[in-house]
Amino acid sequence: LIKGIRNIQAKKVLCILLFLSSVSDSPPMALLEVEALVIIGLYKVAKKLFNKAADYWKQAIKLAPNNYIEAENWLKTTGRYLT
């Protein structure tokens, strides 16, 4: 789990949550909650980065409309392409 996390802040949060789960009454359940929180946090970060990438692709497509067909398809399939 820790190996997959690259964000330093996420590692700090994970360490705190793991410590809290170790002093919890039911460590297995607490660990599942920790994993869920980490996954949710990483999902939010990934979503922000994909949205930022979509903004850049939209700008590139405006500059050269026929040069980025694959990016345009990606925007359409992910629901980020607004005409």
Side-chain angles (χ1 to χ4, degrees):
L1 179 65
I2 293 177
K3 213 190 313 181
I5 301 171
R6 291 188 168 83
N7 185 336
I8 293 170
Q9 196 65 19
K11 285 182 183 178
K12 289 178 184 177
V13 170
L14 179 61
C15 288
I16 292 168
L17 291 172
L18 286 172
F19 170 76
L20 293 174
S21 70
S22 69
V23 295
S24 169
D25 292 338
S26 58
M29 182 53 94
L31 284 175
L32 291 175
E33 291 170 7
V34 168
E35 287 182 10
L37 289 172
V38 169
I39 290 168
I40 290 168
L42 293 176
Y43 171 77
K44 288 181 180 180
V45 169
K47 188 173 179 181
K48 285 181 185 179
L49 291 174
F50 279 118
N51 287 337
K52 192 175 211 177
D55 291 339
Y56 289 131
W57 279 119
K58 287 176 192 176
Q59 290 175 13
I61 291 168
K62 283 181 186 176
L63 293 173
N66 296 320
N67 289 353
Y68 302 106
I69 294 171
E70 288 180 10
E72 199 169 347
N73 288 336
W74 175 75
L75 290 169
K76 288 177 184 175
T77 58
T78 60
R80 292 180 172 96
Y81 191 77
L82 301 173
T83 56

